[in-house]
Amino acid sequence: MTDRETGFSRGPTSLEIDLGAVAANWRLLRDRTTCKRAAAVVKADGYGLGAGPVVKTLAAAGCTLFFAAHLEESIRVRAALRAAGHGDDIEVGVLNGLLPGDAPVMREHGLFPVLNDIGQIDAWGGFCADHGVPLPAAIQTDTGMCRLGLPWQEVRVVSEDPARLSGMEMRYLMSHMACGDDPGHPLNRQQLESFREHVGLLPKPTGGAMLAASSASFLGPDWHFDLIRPGAAIYGVQPNADERPMRPVVRLLARIIQMRDIDKPQTVGYGASFTAEGPRRIATVAVGYADGYLRSASGTAKAFLHGKQIALAGRVSMDLLTFDVTDVPEAQLGDPIELLGAEYGVNELADDAGTIGYEVLTSLGSRYRRNYHGGAS
Ligand SMILES: *Cc1c(COP(=O)(O)O)cnc(C)c1O
């Protein structure tokens, strides 16, 4: 691994982002569905990787529908698309819905809201009527998350009074799955049946119906409808414990900034939670929980150095990690330790930290220099 390959020419850390893998993962998701259509969810700054480069890469790969969570995020997505020369034929939705005052801002930036209750439907319908334009919107129904989306009572009210939707263009009808990563969970089929019912009750959306995010896309064709709406899997999070087809996207490198030889029994780090009983070598790198390296990975995380697996020794500090590199005699000051990579990636660190790959990704800190490879950065 040379500096040229990694872009690791200065600084103690480097976050390498493979945009080629981002595009390949999105295509894999799209092509294995029956509908052959996929949106891309790029909320939380593209799951921590940088929404701008991700959006440009996916638009170049053929994605024409993006979702972010907040209005502000969606504005940045639209700006990134415009900067890359794309027009409003590429759609950008706001998952979190329509707050008072949002409608003119959405129109100005060419965004559409995901309408999550009847009040939002009426507000968007009123805005469309006032301006005499049937602006697009998605309608989200709740099929089991009890979070956002119309509860069944409101689905019935709208189905009995479809004129409520007449002023706008209902482009998408959607719902969100609670247990898609657990293929055996009974809620998966219940949510599917509820959503089918909602599709039958409400007017036909011009752009299509969609239910599955990343994991539910792997439950089978029943969940695919007209398009899927993945996020995490695009960035290398595996859809469930058994299906692991996603390509790793991130590689996180940290240079050894100090090496310590232990010659008599001694403890390492806060809380003295790691004890070296015999002679050991400890390498310190400049990454900690302030960089989103989760403290719950203390004592369990692994990494790679010169192709060999090494273990975290002791607790995660705010700015530092200590690894036992005794079994890598060639290790030297300045060598890069691979904290995340192809062999030990976001999914594995998440398992060791007792969380999910989503949290590992969206925690990736602002102190890392992000180096983009192989895409439209
Ligand atoms: C976050 C989100 C997605 C994407 O989910 P992943 O599990 O990351 O694929 C899709 N739809 C909604 C409504 C979401 O909030």
Side-chain angles (χ1 to χ4, degrees), residues 41 43 47 95 140 147 174 176 213-215 229-233 358:
V41 179
K43 60 195 179 190
Y47 288 57
L95 291 171
Q140 174 157 239
R147 203 177 61 168
M174 58 186 268
H176 193 52
S214 298
S215 294
R229 196 176 64 245
Y358 295 66

